[in-house]
Amino acid sequence: MAGHRGGRWNGEWCGGRGTFMAALIGVALLTAGRAPAADPAPRPGPNILFIFCDDLTCQALSCYGDDRRLLQTPNIDRLAKAGMTFDRCLVTNSICGPSRATILTGKYSHRNGFYNNTNSRFDSTQTTFPKLLQTAGYQTALVGKWHLVSEPTGFDHWEILPGQGIYYNPPMISASGKTTRRGYVTDVITDLSLEWLATRDRTKPFLLMSQHKAPHREWAPPLRHLGWDGDRSHPEPATLFDDYAGRSRAVSDHDMGIDRTFTELDAKLRPPPGITPEELVTWNAYYGPRNDAFRAANLSGRDLVRWRYQRYMHDYLACVKAIDESVGRMLDALEAEGIADETVVILSSDQGFFLGEHGWFDKRWIFEESLRTPLIVRWPGLTEPGSQCDKIVSLIDFAPTFLTLARVAVPAGMQGRALQPLLAGHAPADWRTSLYYHYYEYPVPHRVRPHRGVVTDRYKLVHYYGTDVDDWELLDREVDPLETKSFHADPAYAERMRDLRAELDRLRREVGDETDPPRTAFGDKPFGDR
Ligand code: CA
């Protein structure tokens, strides 16, 4: 057992309240109490509100206690104080579509067929947890970003952004066609989510997946938060000017640097798409004079990187502020209706994100900032308020968790494990101590080479393969928490290298990923075509 200790996990156990069985009984009593007398079928389980963000990273959330203290997120903190915060929820392929496909199917990319954002299309005939919940009597809804190309299946109601979506006045698609919604995308998704909640069939439990675009690139803030930081200087990460010395060329030869890849749209040197002339007046009032000063200064080198980093932090964090407000509105709505005690609330993201670490924005790498994604779960009767868990969990665990919650059998093909014992504060002795990772998309858009690896509490062994680079790297987070060195050729790590290579082989067998992926897994262009 361990409690909330100053915002940062420093224990080694999952804190929770009571036993898992007691919690299950509690949930059963709760749901039994809610079932209308006229309904002969017992409700299958509590409601699920799944608040899912895009590129939201732990460093931006005050409940995760990042050293830089970039932002206060009072509403997300409110959720964390009422539930369990997972310190190491790790993704299996750190980009948008693949993470979404993994959550829906409980399977790795090589099993669900969605490898990359470039040419993958989700096979919607697959078994997904929303379909199984729908069959079990749940009313299911999806609002916001989908990004799996094929239309959603398994939902009674859905309204999604086409592709990546845009921040201002976004077009949206539903089963009945396309409409343009007026407003800022995070507010629009929140409004539509609340609207569905208010009009749903109250005789059934619900699954509501409220899925935000924010804070995805190009990090366009809501107008109300322009200037939120009073032009203060945000602390830089220690590795903003990482020189990649002693590392694989796969790491140094990237195209996702604040120094080399940052566009005018990223820097808000031109306005975002969808903004109206009226909105543009407010937008220009903030960015205009600052952009004029930037152009007059004619910055270069490190000064230019520093300016871009500050602009990036203002914009990214302003987007997160709107997410935080959305979480507050959703929690308020559950309380106002009196269903907070019978609704499990999950907040997560499709991956983490670099906020300048290693000189980067974006994600993709097995490095900690993009590998680790936020996960906060408030499950009344199961999670101890303000508890934390440092066990390795992953997106493959979400579907088994939701199915177990709804008392639906987990299909044999799903590759994760239900989180309920951890949520109840009882980590099984055989809980995983390592996780398999496999990233594919290359060379577009950011020239991050395919890599597979094994992750443990302390180490990561990475293999960059299949391109002009064939390198291994061994990271030791205890010795080098910023992940700026590779110990793979250090004789002192020879035995560790052998052990981790054996573990990687074991995991590849376990997850059924022993052969090289099809060439299409990497995107449109096979290697060597550029
Ligand atoms: Ca994403």
Side-chain angles (χ1 to χ4, degrees):
M1 299 283 285
H4 207 271
R5 300 178 189 175
R8 168 161 283 198
W9 168 256
N10 55 5
E12 55 178 10
W13 193 240
C14 292
R17 174 169 55 190
T19 67
F20 177 44
M21 280 313 295
L24 272 185
I25 292 163
V27 169
L29 289 172
L30 265 176
T31 51
R34 281 284 300 176
D39 184 357
R43 288 161 60 97
N47 305 313
I48 303 170
L49 172 59
F50 183 68
I51 303 172
F52 192 60
C53 302
D54 195 320
D55 298 359
L56 179 66
T57 195
C58 297
Q59 305 97 287
L61 303 177
S62 40
C63 56
Y64 273 94
D66 187 75
D67 289 342
R68 274 183 281 172
R69 300 177 186 278
L70 291 167
L71 185 69
Q72 288 299 312
T73 48
N75 292 296
I76 294 173
D77 291 5
R78 168 181 160 198
L79 183 67
K81 282 176 191 154
M84 179 173 277
T85 302
F86 287 82
D87 190 57
R88 286 197 99 208
C89 180
L90 309 180
V91 302
T92 51
N93 178 6
S94 183
I95 43 171
C96 309
S99 285
R100 290 153 197 273
T102 289
I103 287 173
L104 290 170
T105 60
K107 294 177 179 178
Y108 274 86
S109 305
H110 65 275
R111 284 285 173 84
N112 66 44
F114 203 103
Y115 294 96
N116 64 67
N117 288 338
T118 308
N119 65 1
S120 290
R121 178 187 177 88
F122 187 65
D123 171 7
S124 60
T125 65
Q126 293 183 82
T127 298
T128 64
F129 83 83
K131 285 184 190 173
L132 295 173
L133 289 185
Q134 193 180 39
T135 304
Y138 270 73
Q139 194 177 185
T140 58
L142 164 75
V143 177
K145 185 164 173 183
W146 174 246
H147 204 205
L148 290 171
V149 187
S150 56
E151 282 194 351
T153 52
F155 297 97
D156 300 315
H157 168 82
W158 57 269
E159 181 164 349
I160 59 171
L161 298 164
Q164 292 281 8
I166 59 173
Y167 273 98
Y168 290 94
N169 309 304
M172 294 189 75
I173 309 168
S174 69
S176 53
K178 191 169 180 176
T179 42
T180 294
R181 297 286 185 178
R182 291 288 156 208
Y184 181 69
V185 69
T186 304
D187 303 335
V188 167
I189 291 167
T190 309
D191 290 343
L192 293 173
S193 298
L194 291 173
E195 201 175 292
W196 182 82
L197 266 184
T199 55
R200 73 185 195 279
D201 175 358
R202 283 176 166 72
T203 65
K204 293 179 177 179
F206 68 79
L207 163 71
L208 171 57
M209 300 178 76
S210 185
Q211 306 204 146
H212 292 288
K213 168 185 174 60
H216 190 279
R217 192 185 186 191
E218 72 283 356
W219 327 292
L223 298 176
R224 65 181 176 278
H225 289 321
L226 295 179
W228 70 274
D229 58 0
D231 291 314
R232 80 176 159 96
S233 186
H234 301 278
E236 293 173 359
T239 56
L240 183 60
F241 298 105
D242 193 342
D243 62 3
Y244 316 114
R247 312 287 303 277
S248 166
R249 199 164 65 80
V251 179
S252 57
D253 181 36
H254 62 81
D255 184 19
M256 54 179 272
I258 294 174
D259 62 345
R260 66 194 77 168
T261 315
F262 222 66
T263 66
E264 290 210 330
L265 202 57
D266 294 335
K268 311 304 175 301
L269 295 171
R270 58 187 174 92
I275 195 164
T276 65
E278 296 75 25
E279 289 167 335
L280 192 56
V281 172
T282 306
W283 193 91
N284 278 329
Y286 175 77
Y287 287 109
R290 288 166 179 79
N291 288 349
D292 289 345
F294 164 73
R295 289 188 179 100
N298 197 26
L299 303 174
S300 62
R302 290 195 170 199
D303 290 338
L304 177 59
V305 170
R306 290 203 151 102
W307 182 88
R308 286 175 174 169
Y309 170 75
Q310 294 300 333
R311 174 57 57 89
Y312 172 28
M313 286 305 95
H314 167 274
D315 295 346
Y316 179 96
L317 297 170
C319 292
V320 178
K321 281 177 75 68
I323 292 285
D324 187 65
E325 290 160 350
S326 170
V327 171
R329 290 180 64 199
M330 298 302 291
L331 296 180
D332 287 348
L334 298 182
E335 282 167 20
E337 196 190 318
I339 55 171
D341 284 345
E342 58 196 271
T343 303
V344 177
V345 180
I346 298 99
L347 174 85
S348 192
S349 172
D350 56 357
Q351 6 71 209
F353 212 65
F354 293 97
L355 300 184
E357 298 89 353
H358 306 288
W360 294 330
F361 62 87
D362 211 73
K363 52 262 182 177
R364 301 167 195 277
W365 303 93
I366 197 170
F367 300 118
E368 200 68 3
E369 291 82 2
S370 56
L371 177 76
R372 179 185 184 225
T373 200
L375 175 62
I376 303 170
V377 181
R378 183 184 82 181
W379 187 331
L382 187 59
T383 49
E384 181 187 7
S387 56
Q388 300 189 324
C389 182
D390 69 349
K391 296 293 176 195
I392 294 175
V393 303
S394 185
L395 306 186
I396 49 174
D397 301 326
F398 287 18
T401 301
F402 296 140
L403 293 172
T404 302
L405 174 157
R407 295 164 215 155
V408 175
V410 178
M414 289 194 176
Q415 297 181 294
R417 188 169 174 182
L419 297 174
Q420 274 81 342
L422 301 184
L423 291 166
H426 299 279
D430 63 346
W431 193 262
R432 74 169 70 84
T433 55
S434 64
L435 185 75
Y436 180 65
Y437 182 84
H438 197 166
Y439 169 82
Y440 303 86
E441 190 173 68
Y442 177 87
V444 288
H446 288 298
R447 208 163 63 244
V448 174
R449 285 170 174 77
H451 53 287
R452 55 168 75 92
V454 53
V455 182
T456 71
D457 280 346
R458 177 170 172 177
Y459 300 102
K460 292 172 187 170
L461 179 67
V462 192
H463 184 203
Y464 297 99
Y465 75 94
T467 69
D468 54 336
V469 175
D470 185 352
D471 286 342
W472 291 84
E473 284 200 341
L474 173 60
L475 310 176
D476 182 345
R477 293 173 61 234
E478 191 171 302
V479 172
D480 173 37
L482 299 179
E483 301 183 320
T484 57
K485 299 182 185 74
S486 176
F487 300 90
H488 70 284
D490 184 335
Y493 283 82
E495 191 180 338
R496 184 66 58 193
M497 275 293 290
R498 277 196 301 274
D499 290 349
L500 287 167
R501 282 190 76 149
E503 179 63 2
L504 179 59
D505 289 343
R506 186 193 73 77
L507 286 171
R508 288 183 69 184
R509 283 193 300 276
E510 183 179 284
V511 306
D513 192 30
E514 291 181 272
T515 56
D516 278 339
R519 305 306 279 182
T520 50
F522 305 103
D524 275 333
K525 298 171 183 169
F527 305 147
D529 277 13
R530 294 182 94 201

